[in-house]
Amino acid sequence: MSSADKARRWRQILSELRPALPGEWRLRGVGVGSVLAREPLDWSLAWIGYSGSPTRPVGWLTAGVQPLVTPFTSWIMTYGVRMDEVQSAPPTVDLMSDAAAGQTRQFVLDAGLKEIDDWPPERLADVAERDFARDPRQRRTHWHQLPGWRVVNGTASPVEPATQLAQLCRERAAGISGKGARQLAEKAAFYERLTQAWHDGERESALRFLTSHRDQALAARKLDKILTP
């Protein structure tokens, strides 16, 4: 089994699933990294995807929501579900098996869509605000989206949470090395540039920065490539 065979099979499964989904969905990306994305794609990406090696026989179906107001360094599952977390689903899927299409359909319709629908942009922004309002020692990671949502929704200045996040990332980066340190430094730079954009031209300038950053992140992962009309 080649990675190309697996990629073709995955795209076929997604193409067959698409008409069964409510609303408008498009196939984006390349290879086994292709996803079905709900349109229009704005500041959060609702996706149905697959995780696993391009050449190993089995992997996992995934579904969730990826906020696009923060640095997109990797897929997050904070607002998603993987098939082995669903009691009624098999723990893995073999994309080359006859059962793969049916298993994908069942996972998405029984569990994936519910997870996606549970996290509309309005809730993501609200949870971020409530998380930020907590004692810093009790915060989770929801508030990392807050500067971006404040800009996108025009609700408040992003400067305070963005400044705190930049400092937090710098402090954490100083204690480690390698890829983790580089990613944290990149995140710190993102929040610092967002803050500077706000100082330069408030919401209009900050929104331009976020839009450019989002578009570049999608392009880097080939998610700007739409494979279905």
Side-chain angles (χ1 to χ4, degrees):
M1 175 190 60
S2 69
S3 59
D5 290 337
K6 194 169 184 179
R8 281 193 293 270
R9 175 59 172 153
W10 177 232
R11 288 195 295 269
Q12 178 188 10
I13 290 172
L14 291 179
S15 295
E16 293 173 355
L17 172 65
R18 181 176 169 237
L21 303 181
E24 181 182 358
W25 295 76
R26 288 181 177 172
L27 187 57
R28 289 176 175 261
V30 297
V32 292
S34 301
V35 300
L36 267 182
R38 187 161 64 187
E39 306 290 338
L41 194 157
D42 195 4
W43 291 104
S44 64
L45 169 59
W47 94 93
I48 296 160
Y50 173 86
S51 63
S53 165
T55 55
R56 288 183 59 190
V58 299
W60 301 270
L61 303 171
T62 57
V65 175
Q66 182 85 12
L68 298 177
V69 294
T70 57
F72 188 174
T73 56
S74 63
W75 290 103
I76 64 170
M77 295 303 296
T78 306
Y79 313 105
V81 62
R82 203 169 79 166
M83 66 185 303
D84 55 346
E85 299 172 331
V86 181
Q87 291 184 350
S88 60
T92 59
V93 62
D94 180 349
L95 294 184
M96 305 305 291
S97 71
D98 293 338
Q103 290 172 345
T104 301
R105 182 185 179 97
Q106 180 179 357
F107 165 75
V108 172
L109 297 181
D110 291 353
L113 286 179
K114 181 181 183 303
E115 189 71 21
I116 287 171
D117 290 341
D118 278 348
W119 290 105
E122 297 80 10
R123 186 183 179 200
L124 290 171
D126 179 63
V127 168
E129 285 284 3
R130 288 191 281 114
D131 195 31
F132 182 63
R134 300 174 59 149
D135 185 300
R137 295 168 297 182
Q138 297 178 343
R139 290 175 186 163
R140 301 179 67 185
T141 59
H142 305 295
W143 73 287
H144 295 191
Q145 304 172 53
L146 183 56
W149 284 124
R150 284 186 171 184
V151 171
V152 167
N153 294 329
T155 53
S157 166
V159 171
E160 183 181 3
T163 300
Q164 291 187 28
L165 281 163
Q167 181 179 355
L168 179 64
C169 290
R170 295 289 184 196
E171 290 173 351
R172 290 179 175 175
I176 60 175
S177 60
K179 182 179 178 180
R182 290 194 299 272
Q183 288 183 341
L184 284 168
E186 290 171 2
K187 289 181 179 180
F190 167 86
Y191 291 116
E192 289 165 353
R193 291 197 296 269
L194 177 58
T195 298
Q196 185 59 54
W198 180 269
H199 288 319
D200 290 344
E202 295 195 341
R203 183 173 182 264
E204 182 177 352
S205 176
L207 192 57
R208 283 199 302 269
F209 166 77
L210 286 176
T211 301
S212 175
H213 191 276
R214 176 199 62 187
D215 293 348
Q216 290 174 19
L218 291 173
R221 287 156 185 80
K222 314 281 188 200
L223 293 171
D224 60 329
K225 297 184 180 299
I226 302 175
L227 305 181
T228 51

mmCIF file of all heavy atoms in Angstrom, residues 79-95:
data_model
loop_
_atom_site.group_PDB
_atom_site.id
_atom_site.type_symbol
_atom_site.label_atom_id
_atom_site.label_comp_id
_atom_site.label_asym_id
_atom_site.label_seq_id
_atom_site.Cartn_x
_atom_site.Cartn_y
_atom_site.Cartn_z
ATOM 1 N N TYR A 79 -11.313 21.233 20.911
ATOM 2 C CA TYR A 79 -12.702 21.387 20.481
ATOM 3 C C TYR A 79 -13.032 20.318 19.439
ATOM 4 O O TYR A 79 -13.660 20.589 18.421
ATOM 5 C CB TYR A 79 -12.917 22.788 19.921
ATOM 6 C CG TYR A 79 -12.333 23.858 20.816
ATOM 7 C CD1 TYR A 79 -11.147 24.512 20.475
ATOM 8 C CD2 TYR A 79 -12.931 24.177 22.034
ATOM 9 C CE1 TYR A 79 -10.588 25.468 21.310
ATOM 10 C CE2 TYR A 79 -12.379 25.129 22.872
ATOM 11 C CZ TYR A 79 -11.200 25.766 22.511
ATOM 12 O OH TYR A 79 -10.658 26.692 23.354
ATOM 13 N N GLY A 80 -12.574 19.102 19.713
ATOM 14 C CA GLY A 80 -12.781 18.030 18.756
ATOM 15 C C GLY A 80 -12.870 16.676 19.415
ATOM 16 O O GLY A 80 -12.783 16.542 20.642
ATOM 17 N N VAL A 81 -13.024 15.646 18.587
ATOM 18 C CA VAL A 81 -13.135 14.280 19.086
ATOM 19 C C VAL A 81 -12.434 13.347 18.103
ATOM 20 O O VAL A 81 -12.478 13.552 16.884
ATOM 21 C CB VAL A 81 -14.621 13.879 19.261
ATOM 22 C CG1 VAL A 81 -15.375 13.914 17.946
ATOM 23 C CG2 VAL A 81 -14.753 12.515 19.920
ATOM 24 N N ARG A 82 -11.769 12.332 18.637
ATOM 25 C CA ARG A 82 -11.152 11.290 17.831
ATOM 26 C C ARG A 82 -11.945 10.008 18.013
ATOM 27 O O ARG A 82 -12.522 9.773 19.070
ATOM 28 C CB ARG A 82 -9.690 11.077 18.243
ATOM 29 C CG ARG A 82 -8.832 10.443 17.166
ATOM 30 C CD ARG A 82 -7.364 10.494 17.515
ATOM 31 N NE ARG A 82 -7.002 9.455 18.475
ATOM 32 C CZ ARG A 82 -5.759 9.089 18.750
ATOM 33 N NH1 ARG A 82 -4.750 9.706 18.137
ATOM 34 N NH2 ARG A 82 -5.502 8.145 19.626
ATOM 35 N N MET A 83 -11.962 9.165 17.003
ATOM 36 C CA MET A 83 -12.869 8.024 16.998
ATOM 37 C C MET A 83 -12.669 7.083 18.184
ATOM 38 O O MET A 83 -13.622 6.469 18.654
ATOM 39 C CB MET A 83 -12.755 7.255 15.688
ATOM 40 C CG MET A 83 -11.422 6.574 15.443
ATOM 41 S SD MET A 83 -11.315 5.785 13.794
ATOM 42 C CE MET A 83 -12.713 4.671 13.798
ATOM 43 N N ASP A 84 -11.440 6.976 18.698
ATOM 44 C CA ASP A 84 -11.219 6.073 19.831
ATOM 45 C C ASP A 84 -11.716 6.654 21.146
ATOM 46 O O ASP A 84 -11.637 5.992 22.189
ATOM 47 C CB ASP A 84 -9.749 5.672 19.941
ATOM 48 C CG ASP A 84 -8.815 6.861 20.009
ATOM 49 O OD1 ASP A 84 -9.245 7.997 19.709
ATOM 50 O OD2 ASP A 84 -7.640 6.668 20.354
ATOM 51 N N GLU A 85 -12.264 7.873 21.107
ATOM 52 C CA GLU A 85 -12.895 8.471 22.290
ATOM 53 C C GLU A 85 -14.406 8.237 22.298
ATOM 54 O O GLU A 85 -15.071 8.628 23.245
ATOM 55 C CB GLU A 85 -12.619 9.974 22.327
ATOM 56 C CG GLU A 85 -11.145 10.327 22.414
ATOM 57 C CD GLU A 85 -10.882 11.810 22.254
ATOM 58 O OE1 GLU A 85 -11.674 12.493 21.571
ATOM 59 O OE2 GLU A 85 -9.876 12.289 22.812
ATOM 60 N N VAL A 86 -14.910 7.613 21.253
ATOM 61 C CA VAL A 86 -16.348 7.362 21.117
ATOM 62 C C VAL A 86 -16.615 5.892 21.403
ATOM 63 O O VAL A 86 -16.088 5.010 20.715
ATOM 64 C CB VAL A 86 -16.837 7.720 19.700
ATOM 65 C CG1 VAL A 86 -18.335 7.483 19.593
ATOM 66 C CG2 VAL A 86 -16.491 9.168 19.376
ATOM 67 N N GLN A 87 -17.430 5.630 22.416
ATOM 68 C CA GLN A 87 -17.644 4.250 22.841
ATOM 69 C C GLN A 87 -18.280 3.390 21.753
ATOM 70 O O GLN A 87 -17.972 2.207 21.635
ATOM 71 C CB GLN A 87 -18.523 4.221 24.095
ATOM 72 C CG GLN A 87 -17.836 4.766 25.341
ATOM 73 C CD GLN A 87 -18.702 4.637 26.578
ATOM 74 O OE1 GLN A 87 -19.889 4.313 26.486
ATOM 75 N NE2 GLN A 87 -18.118 4.873 27.740
ATOM 76 N N SER A 88 -19.146 3.959 20.952
ATOM 77 C CA SER A 88 -19.871 3.171 19.957
ATOM 78 C C SER A 88 -19.089 2.968 18.667
ATOM 79 O O SER A 88 -19.557 2.266 17.769
ATOM 80 C CB SER A 88 -21.200 3.860 19.627
ATOM 81 O OG SER A 88 -20.966 5.164 19.097
ATOM 82 N N ALA A 89 -17.909 3.568 18.564
ATOM 83 C CA ALA A 89 -17.130 3.485 17.330
ATOM 84 C C ALA A 89 -15.945 2.541 17.499
ATOM 85 O O ALA A 89 -15.450 2.348 18.612
ATOM 86 C CB ALA A 89 -16.635 4.872 16.937
ATOM 87 N N PRO A 90 -15.458 1.951 16.412
ATOM 88 C CA PRO A 90 -14.220 1.173 16.498
ATOM 89 C C PRO A 90 -13.063 2.109 16.832
ATOM 90 O O PRO A 90 -13.109 3.298 16.513
ATOM 91 C CB PRO A 90 -14.081 0.575 15.091
ATOM 92 C CG PRO A 90 -14.886 1.468 14.207
ATOM 93 C CD PRO A 90 -16.017 1.973 15.048
ATOM 94 N N PRO A 91 -12.008 1.616 17.479
ATOM 95 C CA PRO A 91 -10.916 2.493 17.918
ATOM 96 C C PRO A 91 -10.053 3.021 16.779
ATOM 97 O O PRO A 91 -9.423 4.071 16.910
ATOM 98 C CB PRO A 91 -10.106 1.603 18.865
ATOM 99 C CG PRO A 91 -10.407 0.205 18.417
ATOM 100 C CD PRO A 91 -11.828 0.235 17.948
ATOM 101 N N THR A 92 -9.992 2.304 15.660
ATOM 102 C CA THR A 92 -9.192 2.734 14.518
ATOM 103 C C THR A 92 -9.947 2.415 13.232
ATOM 104 O O THR A 92 -10.957 1.707 13.249
ATOM 105 C CB THR A 92 -7.827 2.020 14.474
ATOM 106 O OG1 THR A 92 -8.039 0.607 14.397
ATOM 107 C CG2 THR A 92 -6.991 2.351 15.704
ATOM 108 N N VAL A 93 -9.415 2.939 12.119
ATOM 109 C CA VAL A 93 -9.996 2.652 10.813
ATOM 110 C C VAL A 93 -8.883 2.306 9.831
ATOM 111 O O VAL A 93 -7.804 2.907 9.862
ATOM 112 C CB VAL A 93 -10.814 3.858 10.291
ATOM 113 C CG1 VAL A 93 -9.936 5.074 10.093
ATOM 114 C CG2 VAL A 93 -11.541 3.511 9.005
ATOM 115 N N ASP A 94 -9.137 1.307 9.002
ATOM 116 C CA ASP A 94 -8.246 0.968 7.904
ATOM 117 C C ASP A 94 -8.875 1.541 6.645
ATOM 118 O O ASP A 94 -9.901 1.040 6.164
ATOM 119 C CB ASP A 94 -8.105 -0.555 7.796
ATOM 120 C CG ASP A 94 -7.181 -0.979 6.661
ATOM 121 O OD1 ASP A 94 -6.817 -0.130 5.831
ATOM 122 O OD2 ASP A 94 -6.825 -2.168 6.600
ATOM 123 N N LEU A 95 -8.287 2.600 6.107
ATOM 124 C CA LEU A 95 -8.899 3.290 4.979
ATOM 125 C C LEU A 95 -9.042 2.403 3.748
ATOM 126 O O LEU A 95 -9.903 2.655 2.900
ATOM 127 C CB LEU A 95 -8.088 4.530 4.615
ATOM 128 C CG LEU A 95 -8.044 5.660 5.645
ATOM 129 C CD1 LEU A 95 -7.277 6.843 5.094
ATOM 130 C CD2 LEU A 95 -9.451 6.087 6.056
#
